[in-house]
Amino acid sequence: MARGGKSGGKKKKRKGSMLTLILLIIPAGLVVLPTSILFGIGMIPTIVAYVTDRDPEKSAPITVGGLNFCGCMPYAIELWKHNHTIGAAGKIFMDPLAWLVMYGSAAIGWALYFGIPPMVANFEVMRAEKRVSALKDVKVGLVQEWGPEVAGDLFDEAGGLSPDEQDQMAEPAGA
């Protein structure tokens, strides 16, 4: 029963913090409306990544969003330096290079998101194969030095003793 109260309080706190966040972001967004428009349109790939990512850690929007933000930032700085108006933001959106930079950087984020995990997995597989090969070389050296008994190959692949080993085990030790 205490658990229900805690999770209910946590959920209530989360709703309250979300309301506070909304009450702060909306007025701030209106004060810097051209910048809000720029980031609102420029960061659409990040929003799509957030909505489509089923991972609870949300690694897609983090990867895509970071690069997408970097692609939007030069245009935000240009907007702040020159003329912080809605018309100036409109001029930025009339430039195809701006779209290419903003959305192209998000595309690079998607490429990283989909490309790096397979590369890391392949690297780990190669590393493990190299380690197995090195251990087999050590095993060969040990067998040469101490004999085949040290290899521990008493069992065949089916899990039982090989026929030769069955014969050796059946013979009395003194014979």
Side-chain angles (χ1 to χ4, degrees), residues 2 11 16 19 24 32 34 43 55 70 75 118 122 131 134 139 146 160 168:
K11 200 172 203 177
L19 180 63
L24 291 175
V32 289
M43 299 287 285
D55 183 18
C70 290
Y75 298 101
N122 286 336
R131 177 80 174 132
K139 180 181 175 183
W146 292 93
Q168 289 175 357

Side-chain angles (χ1 to χ4, degrees), residues 2-62:
R3 288 179 68 182
K6 285 183 181 179
S7 66
K10 199 172 200 179
K11 200 172 203 177
K12 198 174 208 179
K13 185 178 178 183
R14 181 176 277 169
K15 279 186 179 180
S17 64
M18 183 62 78
L19 180 63
T20 304
L21 184 67
I22 289 172
L23 289 175
L24 291 175
I25 286 181
I26 290 176
L30 292 174
V31 168
V32 289
L33 188 60
T35 303
S36 300
I37 292 171
L38 176 78
F39 279 108
I41 294 173
M43 299 287 285
I44 288 175
T46 302
I47 296 166
V48 170
Y50 185 81
V51 170
T52 59
D53 191 13
R54 294 182 181 165
D55 183 18
E57 295 174 5
K58 297 290 187 188
S59 54
I62 291 169

Side-chain angles (χ1 to χ4, degrees), residues 68-101:
N68 191 198
F69 181 78
C70 290
C72 292
M73 206 57 209
Y75 298 101
I77 292 171
E78 181 182 322
L79 193 63
W80 298 335
K81 277 185 176 180
H82 299 296
N83 200 5
H84 194 254
T85 63
I86 294 175
K91 281 185 182 179
I92 289 172
F93 289 122
M94 298 299 258
D95 182 13
L97 183 63
W99 288 98
L100 180 67
V101 170

Side-chain angles (χ1 to χ4, degrees), residues 94-140:
M94 298 299 258
D95 182 13
L97 183 63
W99 288 98
L100 180 67
V101 170
M102 288 187 280
Y103 287 1
S105 60
I108 292 169
W110 277 113
L112 290 174
Y113 176 73
F114 286 117
I116 291 203
M119 286 190 329
V120 170
N122 286 336
F123 174 76
E124 289 297 321
V125 166
M126 288 187 328
R127 197 172 112 192
E129 287 172 351
K130 194 174 190 179
R131 177 80 174 132
V132 166
S133 175
L135 290 173
K136 283 182 181 178
D137 292 343
V138 169
K139 180 181 175 183
V140 167

